[in-house]
Amino acid sequence: MAILSNELRAVIVPDNYLDNPKNVLKENCLIIQQFSYECERLRNNSSDVYGATKPVIMKFTIRVNSPVHAKEFYQRLALNGHYDYSILFNITYDANRRMADCEDGMVINGFIVGVEEVYNSMKDEDGVDKQMLLNVEILVRSTIYLGREEQNNLKSVFIH
């Protein structure tokens, strides 16, 4: 198996970042190894969005250090409800291990439709798997994109 990335380019938090942006703890951020989705919207001649969003499946792979960290995704899969997930890019942390800033991101709301585990062959001194990859698929209901304005403030755009 390939060596997994330790770079904090993108993380996912199983919560809505916008509800409390200064309370994102480092231990709740799971490193995204890769993700993909395609979002198609109908637009008129003025480029205004109209009509409903076509169903979108977002797929992502995260690294978890313990099967305990995967518990949240399995519980949400079993409950068959829609939940919020925040994907944040180029995140930095303060001395208290809370998020200090991020470059941009998105908050998605949706249903987990699939979870698959892939174990790394690396083990610690006690013989426990050091890392595990979790492949997750979410049927997306809505997306809020976050980006920087000219004054360097985050601005959000809701896509439903």
Side-chain angles (χ1 to χ4, degrees), residues 1 7-8 14 26 70 74 77 109 111 116 124 126 142 146 157 159:
M1 179 177 273
E7 295 292 323
L8 293 178
K26 185 174 184 177
Y74 282 111
L77 175 65
N109 180 280
F111 300 88
E116 177 187 355
D124 65 10
D126 300 325
S142 65
L146 308 168
V157 177
I159 306 292

Side-chain angles (χ1 to χ4, degrees), residues 54-84:
K54 296 180 181 180
V56 175
I57 296 286
M58 175 180 275
K59 299 177 183 181
F60 58 87
T61 301
I62 55 175
R63 186 186 74 203
V64 291
N65 295 327
S66 164
V68 175
H69 291 115
K71 182 179 178 182
E72 181 84 21
F73 293 99
Y74 282 111
Q75 286 176 338
R76 291 179 177 191
L77 175 65
L79 293 174
N80 197 25
H82 60 90
Y83 298 94
D84 291 322

Side-chain angles (χ1 to χ4, degrees), residues 97-153:
R97 299 176 59 86
R98 295 189 185 278
M99 189 186 86
D101 195 18
C102 70
E103 191 172 298
D104 53 11
M106 65 175 102
V107 177
I108 60 168
N109 180 280
F111 300 88
I112 293 184
V113 293
V115 178
E116 177 187 355
E117 298 174 7
V118 179
Y119 287 93
N120 191 331
S121 60
M122 298 174 13
K123 305 235 184 241
D124 65 10
E125 306 82 43
D126 300 325
V128 178
D129 288 313
K130 287 178 73 174
Q131 295 179 336
M132 179 178 77
L133 291 180
L134 201 62
N135 297 319
V136 181
E137 293 182 0
I138 296 179
L139 177 62
V140 177
R141 292 180 65 227
S142 65
T143 305
I144 300 173
Y145 294 100
L146 308 168
R148 298 276 180 198
E149 288 184 312
E150 295 83 28
Q151 295 83 18
N152 211 19
N153 296 324

Side-chain angles (χ1 to χ4, degrees), residues 21-59:
K22 296 299 180 188
N23 201 27
V24 176
L25 298 172
K26 185 174 184 177
E27 49 269 7
N28 294 338
C29 296
L30 301 170
I31 297 173
I32 296 179
Q33 300 298 311
Q34 64 183 11
F35 78 97
S36 66
Y37 73 106
E38 292 181 18
C39 183
E40 293 183 22
R41 297 298 311 250
L42 299 174
R43 295 186 181 272
N44 62 17
N45 292 340
S46 302
S47 295
D48 296 324
V49 175
Y50 70 92
T53 304
K54 296 180 181 180
V56 175
I57 296 286
M58 175 180 275
K59 299 177 183 181

